[in-house]
Amino acid sequence: MGAVYQAAALSKAFKVKPFVVRDAAVFPIQVEFTREVEEDDKSKSLKHNKRILFQRMAPYPQRKVITFNRYTDDFEFYVNYGDLSFLSQDDLRIFGSLNLTTVRLKGVGESFKKHLDYESKGIKAHFNMDESGVLSLDRVESVFETVVEDKLEEESTLTKLGNTISSLFGGGGPAPEAGENLTDAVQEEEESLAEPGKDEQGEKQDQKSEAEDAGEEQGEEKQPSPGQAETAAPQAESEKKEEGEKLESQDPKENRETVKEEEPSKSSGDSTATKTEEEKKIKAPKKQKFVHEITMELDVNDVPDLLEDDLKSSMKKLQDLTIRDLEKQEKEKSANSLESFIFETQDKLYQEEYQFVSTEEQRDEISRKLSEASSWMEEEGYAAATKELKDKLSELKKLCRNLFFRVEERRKWPERLAALEGLLNHSTIFLKGARMIPESDQIFTEVELSTLEKAINETTIWKNETLAEQNKLPPTEKPVLLSKDIELKIAALDREVQYLLNKAKFAKPKPKKEKNTTKTDSGKNGTAASETETTIPPTEGKPEDKPEDVGPAAEPPAAERTATDAEPGPDSGSKKEKTEAGGESRKNDEL
């Protein structure tokens, strides 16, 4: 259940609560080593030490560093399992050897000889337990440290001049820059492992050295530090400034004199501050760290390496197993394909569309072959070879190929014929529209239009003839109308239409002649004027006896016209007749 929940937590398809999994070391691991110890009577004896590297159920991945402080020559240590008292006797007997690795270090004495003037910080062994819980020793190194005093760098002329000017204008001594000629103390790795089991003599020596260091630090604190001297000068200056302000309030003349007297004192204070800064810079210590790689030889006892012959034979076994699995999968796939084809084809023989395109004799023959193949599968098929299964399947597919082809073609006909008919209609309409374009605006050549017309006619004739021939054939015969032929006809006709459409899309209109446009415009204007004149009523509401006296230039205003139209009199009929007669006479006059 936990594995399922972890899979859901890792997947993006499910949203679950946070599921934290931490791996832990099931068995404790420790480091064991032996070294010489000097007794009170100055005799030497061997002392066996144990240092726990990983506790039981310690989480991993994790890195650990163990430091050996008492060795100055080559030595060896052992990586073993720790306390296994929680296991039973049977488990311990099956567990086998407790030793994991034996480590031999070479080059320790040489590293000490090369760095005689340096302080030893021990020999550090770096262990790593990776994500799989496999413990490995990454490296072993001998670490040395020394204190280097930096000399004061000579200041340039410009720097000295700048310091002098700043001191003259009350700037005081230059503030020490952060990190100037100073280095931070060397930091040990956070994952270093303390040695809780040091012998008492080593602890006493460490305590003595710490006490001496503390005494030296206290002695230095008692002496006046450069920082205190530096702060003393500004305090004296501030007191003098306060006294100068009081004197200025009393008498400005006296104040001027005091300011002049203070200037030498300020310069002297600045010079003392500068001296203390120089002393501080000279005394600033710098620690330098040196790391010397130690050569190590490992004897891994947990999992012994295979011999070359055994490794080759194991690899060959794995390859043989892989090949056998692939062959088994191929055989199962072939058997499933044959079995599914038999069942599907037996079911199709009873479907209407398959019965329509096949005769009774054809269906009986196919059914008989399928029954034989089914019986063979039940008796010998599962024990047969892969090649035999594939041959059986190809034989049945060959037998049913014509039947499946006829059914598949009849399924494709409606869609393909509808697409062809639609394209023929669109092409015919497009051709008619192209031929109706005036000659002055025509963008297509006669050859292009004739080519399209020829393609339309040939496609129409082929369709009608092929459909007529197909209708004469019985459905059990191989069809003459094929879906691939219809697709080829559609592609050929569509290519011609698309060519003309692209040409029309990018064609530029031809420029028109100015003379023709002027004549047509004048003719249009004259006709329009005559039409408007025919509908003009008389200026006054009285009937006119002589329509020929009415001039074409006399046009009543729109208001009077609407008023006259709105008030028809008893003589409205005669007015309309006379107006029509007058309009005809005006037309004759204009013509």
Side-chain angles (χ1 to χ4, degrees):
M1 199 61 193
V4 175
Y5 196 88
Q6 173 69 353
L10 294 175
S11 174
K12 295 181 180 179
F14 302 96
K15 187 176 181 180
V16 296
K17 290 185 178 181
F19 189 68
V20 181
V21 177
R22 291 182 180 176
D23 296 321
V26 181
F27 306 105
I29 298 175
Q30 63 186 12
V31 175
E32 300 182 13
F33 56 93
T34 305
R35 61 184 177 84
E36 292 184 351
V37 178
E38 188 175 352
E39 301 292 343
D40 295 337
D41 56 355
K42 296 184 179 182
S43 61
K44 293 184 179 180
S45 62
L46 295 177
K47 183 179 180 181
H48 190 71
N49 298 285
K50 295 181 181 179
R51 300 288 180 268
I52 296 176
L53 196 61
F54 293 98
Q55 297 280 357
R56 185 189 176 196
M57 303 307 292
Y60 64 83
Q62 189 178 170
R63 293 177 178 271
K64 288 291 184 69
V65 178
I66 185 169
T67 304
F68 302 94
N69 291 320
R70 298 291 182 268
Y71 287 98
T72 58
D73 204 352
D74 298 350
F75 66 99
E76 65 180 14
F77 61 90
Y78 307 92
V79 182
N80 301 330
Y81 284 111
D83 184 16
L84 301 178
S85 58
F86 57 91
L87 296 177
S88 62
Q89 292 296 328
D90 296 335
D91 294 337
L92 287 174
R93 186 167 53 255
I94 297 172
F95 204 82
S97 174
L98 300 182
N99 179 250
L100 293 173
T101 307
T102 302
V103 183
R104 298 182 184 86
L105 301 181
K106 295 183 178 180
V108 178
E110 294 178 1
S111 65
F112 276 88
K113 291 177 182 178
K114 289 181 181 179
H115 304 87
L116 294 175
D117 299 335
Y118 295 89
E119 179 185 359
S120 175
K121 290 296 181 180
I123 298 163
K124 298 182 181 295
H126 298 260
F127 291 90
N128 177 30
M129 184 176 285
D130 60 10
E131 293 82 357
S132 303
V134 178
L135 180 64
S136 61
L137 179 60
D138 289 344
R139 65 187 185 278
V140 179
E141 56 192 19
S142 184
V143 182
F144 300 92
E145 191 177 282
T146 185
V147 177
V148 180
E149 293 183 356
D150 291 342
K151 295 182 180 179
L152 179 64
E153 297 179 357
E154 293 183 0
E155 294 182 347
S156 63
T157 307
L158 291 176
T159 307
K160 292 179 180 179
L161 182 60
N163 294 336
T164 306
I165 293 172
S166 61
S167 63
L168 286 175
F169 288 96
E177 296 180 1
E180 184 180 1
N181 296 330
L182 296 174
T183 55
D184 297 333
V186 179
Q187 296 180 356
E188 297 294 332
E189 297 186 20
E190 296 179 358
E191 54 190 4
S192 60
L193 184 66
E195 295 187 8
K198 289 183 179 179
D199 56 293
E200 296 178 357
Q201 293 180 359
E203 291 178 358
K204 289 178 181 179
Q205 291 177 1
D206 293 341
Q207 291 176 359
K208 287 180 181 179
S209 61
E210 290 175 1
E212 291 175 358
D213 295 339
E216 290 177 359
E217 291 176 358
Q218 291 175 1
E220 290 178 357
E221 290 176 358
K222 290 178 182 179
Q223 297 176 358
S225 62
Q228 291 177 354
E230 185 179 351
T231 55
Q235 288 177 0
E237 291 175 6
S238 62
E239 291 175 359
K240 290 179 180 180
K241 285 181 181 179
E242 291 176 0
E243 292 175 359
E245 290 176 359
K246 291 178 182 179
L247 292 172
E248 185 180 358
S249 62
Q250 294 175 2
D251 189 0
K253 293 181 179 179
E254 294 178 1
N255 186 25
R256 292 175 185 173
E257 295 174 0
T258 55
V259 169
K260 291 179 180 178
E261 292 174 0
E262 285 177 5
E263 288 179 357
S265 63
K266 283 184 180 180
S267 60
S268 62
D270 294 338
S271 61
T272 55
T274 307
K275 289 180 181 179
T276 55
E277 282 295 326
E278 292 176 356
E279 292 176 0
K280 186 176 180 181
K281 289 179 181 178
I282 294 172
K283 292 181 180 179
K286 180 180 179 181
K287 292 184 179 181
Q288 192 173 7
K289 181 179 178 181
F290 291 92
V291 178
H292 185 86
E293 288 287 337
I294 303 297
T295 306
M296 55 184 180
E297 292 181 0
L298 303 177
D299 292 339
V300 181
N301 302 324
D302 188 19
V303 180
D305 295 334
L306 291 175
L307 298 176
E308 187 175 357
D309 295 339
D310 295 341
L311 183 62
K312 288 181 179 179
S313 63
S314 299
M315 292 177 65
K316 189 176 183 306
K317 286 181 182 178
L318 291 175
Q319 291 177 357
D320 294 341
L321 290 173
T322 304
I323 293 172
R324 190 175 69 178
D325 290 341
L326 293 175
E327 291 176 351
K328 183 180 178 183
Q329 292 176 6
E330 187 69 20
K331 179 181 177 181
E332 291 175 353
K333 184 179 178 181
S334 301
N336 292 335
S337 300
L338 177 59
E339 198 170 16
S340 61
F341 182 82
I342 292 171
F343 292 148
E344 289 176 3
T345 309
Q346 286 177 342
D347 181 64
K348 288 176 181 178
L349 292 177
Y350 295 97
Q351 295 179 9
E352 184 178 355
E353 58 180 352
Y354 285 90
Q355 291 181 353
F356 180 73
V357 297
S358 61
T359 60
E360 188 70 27
E361 292 80 8
Q362 292 174 350
R363 291 194 296 272
D364 290 343
E365 183 182 0
I366 293 173
S367 179
R368 181 173 56 81
K369 290 286 186 182
L370 292 174
S371 299
E372 290 177 0
S374 179
S375 302
W376 177 82
M377 278 292 296
E378 293 177 358
E379 295 175 0
E380 305 175 5
Y382 295 102
T386 305
K387 187 177 182 303
E388 192 173 358
L389 293 171
K390 289 183 177 180
D391 293 342
K392 210 71 166 172
L393 179 61
S394 61
E395 182 182 351
L396 293 176
K397 284 184 176 180
K398 185 177 180 180
L399 179 65
C400 304
R401 182 183 302 165
N402 295 330
L403 174 62
F404 293 163
F405 177 75
R406 293 193 293 270
V407 174
E408 190 66 24
E409 286 295 322
R410 288 185 174 273
R411 287 177 180 174
K412 293 179 180 179
W413 282 351
E415 183 181 356
R416 301 292 192 278
L417 290 173
L420 180 61
E421 189 67 27
L423 183 58
L424 286 171
N425 293 335
H426 291 307
S427 303
T428 305
I429 295 171
F430 176 75
L431 180 62
K432 289 181 180 179
R435 289 196 179 279
M436 290 175 65
I437 298 174
E439 186 177 355
S440 59
D441 298 333
Q442 185 61 262
I443 59 176
F444 304 118
T445 62
E446 186 63 27
V447 177
E448 293 171 347
L449 297 177
S450 300
T451 304
L452 178 60
E453 185 177 7
K454 182 181 178 182
I456 293 172
N457 295 334
E458 289 179 353
T459 306
T460 305
I461 294 170
W462 175 84
K463 186 193 74 169
N464 296 332
E465 291 179 352
T466 309
L467 283 175
E469 188 177 355
Q470 179 62 43
N471 292 332
K472 293 179 183 179
L473 290 176
T476 57
E477 296 292 333
K478 183 179 179 180
V480 178
L481 182 64
L482 302 178
S483 59
K484 63 178 183 179
D485 294 340
I486 301 175
E487 291 174 357
L488 292 175
K489 293 294 181 182
I490 291 173
L493 185 57
D494 185 65
R495 184 172 59 252
E496 297 295 334
V497 176
Q498 290 297 328
Y499 171 76
L500 297 180
L501 287 175
N502 291 333
K503 184 176 180 182
K505 187 184 297 184
F506 299 104
K508 295 181 180 179
K510 296 180 180 180
K512 297 182 179 179
K513 296 181 180 180
E514 296 180 358
K515 293 181 180 180
N516 296 336
T517 55
T518 307
K519 290 180 179 180
T520 53
D521 292 344
S522 61
K524 290 180 181 178
N525 294 334
T527 308
S530 63
E531 289 177 357
T532 54
E533 288 175 358
T534 55
T535 57
I536 295 173
T539 308
E540 297 178 359
K542 298 178 181 181
E544 296 180 0
D545 298 330
K546 298 179 180 179
E548 60 272 4
D549 297 335
V550 180
E555 183 176 356
E560 292 180 6
R561 192 188 313 163
T562 53
T564 306
D565 295 338
E567 297 177 0
D571 299 331
S572 61
S574 60
K575 287 180 182 179
K576 290 180 181 178
E577 293 174 0
K578 291 177 181 179
T579 305
E580 292 174 359
E584 291 176 0
S585 62
R586 282 196 298 274
K587 285 182 182 179
N588 295 330
D589 294 339
E590 290 176 359
L591 293 172

